[in-house]
Amino acid sequence: MKKTIIALLLMVLVLPGFVSFSSASGKKIIIAHRGACGYLPEHSLEAKAMAYAMGADYIEQDLVMTKDNRLVVLHDHYLDRVTDVAEVFPSRKRKDGRYYVIDFTLDEIKKLKMTEGFSLENNKKKPNFPKRFPLWKSSFEVSTFEEEIELIQGLNSSTGRNVGIYPEIKSPWFHRHEGKDISLAVINILKEYGYTSKNDLIYLQCFDPNELKIIKNKIFPQTGVNVKLVQLIAETDWNETMEYVKGKAVPYNYDWMFEKGAMAEISSYADGIGPWKPMIVKDGSTGTNLIITDMVKDAHSNGMEVHPYTFRLDNGRIPEYAASFEDMLDIFLFKADVDGVFTDFPDRGVEFLRRAMYMKKL
Ligand code: CA
């Protein structure tokens, strides 16, 4: 009894340290998209450490597989947008001119320098976000999934905080076509590092509904893992997810996800959705006339959380209906009532939620 009272007292005393931004739909979270990639090269361990220090609740990992079956943290299943692979291994490109992660061993990938994302314009490298960390400055490298989990868990141990992970299985259709079961590899590592149940601080995300069903119905029972799954939602014409029909890759058709009853269907295999921002607040909205779709309401009534992407500060990335970055967060988190946001600028998201709490919005 005494112990219970002391425990209760302790909870009250330390409560401000565990700031919980609760709302009707649960705790609102800030997810560091590719780390604090507004400030440091995306998916570098440095960007992850910075996101951690900025107070993000979850840190994202995009995962692709190497030739020797290792998982590396990269957004693309190509190496050429963020590394010097074209200079180091010029002869290793495929017919389409791209350098595929799956054609390189981890040792080879570790020899590459990593930088901010760039595109080639007249054979010159131009940064995709000119005001972000400059190209090729300092020293960054591609990291493995294990290295990143150990960084986050190590910080959890040294700070006493408990920051979660938000891994994404990239292009499973491509990996399977190349003979690799990337999902099984990801889930085996999750198990090794103690992410096994829906109570653990992890969301596992994927754009591919076919793969999410394989994970839920086959890999989870086989491995004894059962973590929260998030269905990312794309537009069909992005060619984000492909299916092989008679040996030919065709785009997966996402249209059904925007129809009535879609959220009930998704909730049969997932715990949440990750939609693109305009799927929630329509383009064409104005400051005085926000057009909010039924997606959040339908997802909530089917017991799912909603974490839209991507909240950016860069030029041209704040929709016209929002007066500022913070106004955009306010619209999504409090008017559309989403449960969390993916942002390249986690410090601004964390600060926004803190202020909202002081203003008794939460
Ligand atoms: Ca991602």
Side-chain angles (χ1 to χ4, degrees):
M1 187 62 186
K2 219 175 182 179
K3 262 189 188 160
T4 317
I5 293 168
I6 291 169
L8 279 171
L9 265 174
L10 270 174
M11 266 178 69
V12 172
L13 287 172
V14 299
L15 211 56
F18 291 91
V19 177
S20 173
F21 306 106
S22 56
S23 72
S25 52
K27 185 183 182 293
K28 304 231 186 235
I29 57 169
I30 299 299
I31 306 148
H33 180 246
R34 309 182 200 174
C37 73
Y39 305 103
L40 279 164
E42 65 177 56
H43 286 316
S44 60
L45 285 182
E46 289 81 355
K48 306 305 170 87
M50 190 172 190
Y52 192 104
M54 286 173 160
D57 299 290
Y58 285 80
I59 298 175
E60 191 202 26
Q61 302 78 35
D62 289 316
L63 299 171
V64 294
M65 210 172 212
T66 67
K67 189 178 183 178
D68 51 345
N69 300 326
R70 298 296 302 274
L71 293 165
V72 288
V73 185
L74 280 169
H75 178 267
D76 309 342
H77 55 276
Y78 317 111
L79 288 158
D80 36 272
R81 187 178 55 90
V82 293
T83 74
D84 58 351
V85 65
E87 285 80 47
V88 181
F89 298 105
S91 64
R92 303 274 295 275
K93 57 176 178 267
R94 288 196 184 184
K95 281 200 186 94
D96 60 3
R98 315 253 8 206
Y99 297 80
Y100 284 68
V101 176
I102 215 162
D103 295 335
F104 293 82
T105 63
L106 179 62
D107 271 358
E108 288 171 334
I109 291 170
K110 282 287 189 186
K111 291 193 174 81
L112 303 175
K113 280 188 178 159
M114 191 162 79
T115 186
E116 258 296 301
F118 59 84
S119 348
L120 289 177
E121 253 178 56
N122 304 325
N123 253 343
K124 261 195 89 183
K125 288 170 184 159
K126 282 258 166 79
N128 295 337
F129 291 102
K131 294 204 167 150
R132 293 191 177 184
F133 198 87
L135 293 187
W136 307 115
K137 297 295 179 189
S138 191
S139 169
F140 303 98
E141 65 175 47
V142 179
S143 55
T144 64
F145 189 27
E146 295 95 314
E147 284 168 333
E148 180 155 338
I149 293 177
E150 287 175 16
L151 176 82
I152 295 168
Q153 292 194 342
L155 283 165
N156 283 344
S157 162
S158 58
T159 65
R161 289 177 58 214
N162 207 358
V163 171
I165 62 171
Y166 210 128
E168 177 184 349
I169 298 170
K170 295 305 275 192
S171 312
W173 52 273
F174 169 79
H175 286 92
R176 287 199 180 278
H177 192 68
E178 299 272 329
K180 297 200 188 289
D181 188 342
I182 182 173
S183 298
L184 179 61
V186 168
I187 288 156
N188 278 334
I189 288 183
L190 293 180
K191 192 173 178 179
E192 191 184 327
Y193 283 91
Y195 300 97
T196 56
S197 82
K198 290 189 196 292
N199 295 323
D200 293 317
L201 291 183
I202 175 177
Y203 292 89
L204 181 58
Q205 47 169 342
C206 192
F207 271 106
D208 188 338
N210 296 328
E211 190 72 16
L212 285 168
K213 287 175 196 164
I214 293 175
I215 292 170
K216 182 173 174 72
N217 301 324
K218 215 177 121 200
I219 303 180
F220 278 178
Q222 183 190 331
T223 54
V225 170
N226 187 25
V227 297
K228 280 178 280 195
L229 293 175
V230 171
Q231 170 72 66
L232 296 169
I233 306 180
E235 298 281 358
T236 302
D237 63 7
W238 297 350
N239 292 357
E240 174 62 45
T241 302
M242 306 293 272
E243 285 180 299
Y244 285 89
V245 179
K246 291 180 189 156
K248 200 171 170 275
V250 295
Y252 178 87
N253 192 334
Y254 280 92
D255 293 355
W256 69 269
M257 291 195 192
F258 307 99
E259 281 162 21
K260 240 187 159 31
M263 294 303 126
E265 168 61 21
I266 294 174
S267 73
S268 71
Y269 61 86
D271 306 276
I273 55 166
W276 187 39
K277 294 201 306 293
M279 296 169 185
I280 292 177
V281 180
K282 283 197 169 173
D283 288 339
S285 290
T286 65
T288 49
N289 183 28
L290 293 170
I291 309 161
I292 296 173
T293 67
D294 287 337
M295 195 177 255
V296 178
K297 195 164 55 80
D298 290 352
H300 284 170
S301 61
N302 283 288
M304 290 196 293
E305 293 174 71
V306 184
H307 301 152
Y309 59 89
T310 306
F311 291 74
R312 296 186 165 114
L313 263 171
D314 312 83
N315 276 347
R317 298 303 181 121
I318 298 169
E320 273 176 27
Y321 56 76
S324 63
F325 183 76
E326 280 67 24
D327 188 36
M328 169 167 66
L329 291 175
D330 191 58
I331 289 167
F332 277 84
L333 286 160
F334 296 113
K335 297 196 170 96
D337 196 28
V338 304
D339 307 282
V341 293
F342 282 93
T343 179
D344 295 357
F345 300 87
D347 54 337
R348 300 281 289 258
V350 169
E351 179 58 28
F352 172 80
L353 280 184
R354 246 173 225 160
R355 243 181 299 137
M357 191 190 60
Y358 291 135
M359 291 163 76
K360 305 257 186 278
K361 262 195 135 160
L362 284 163

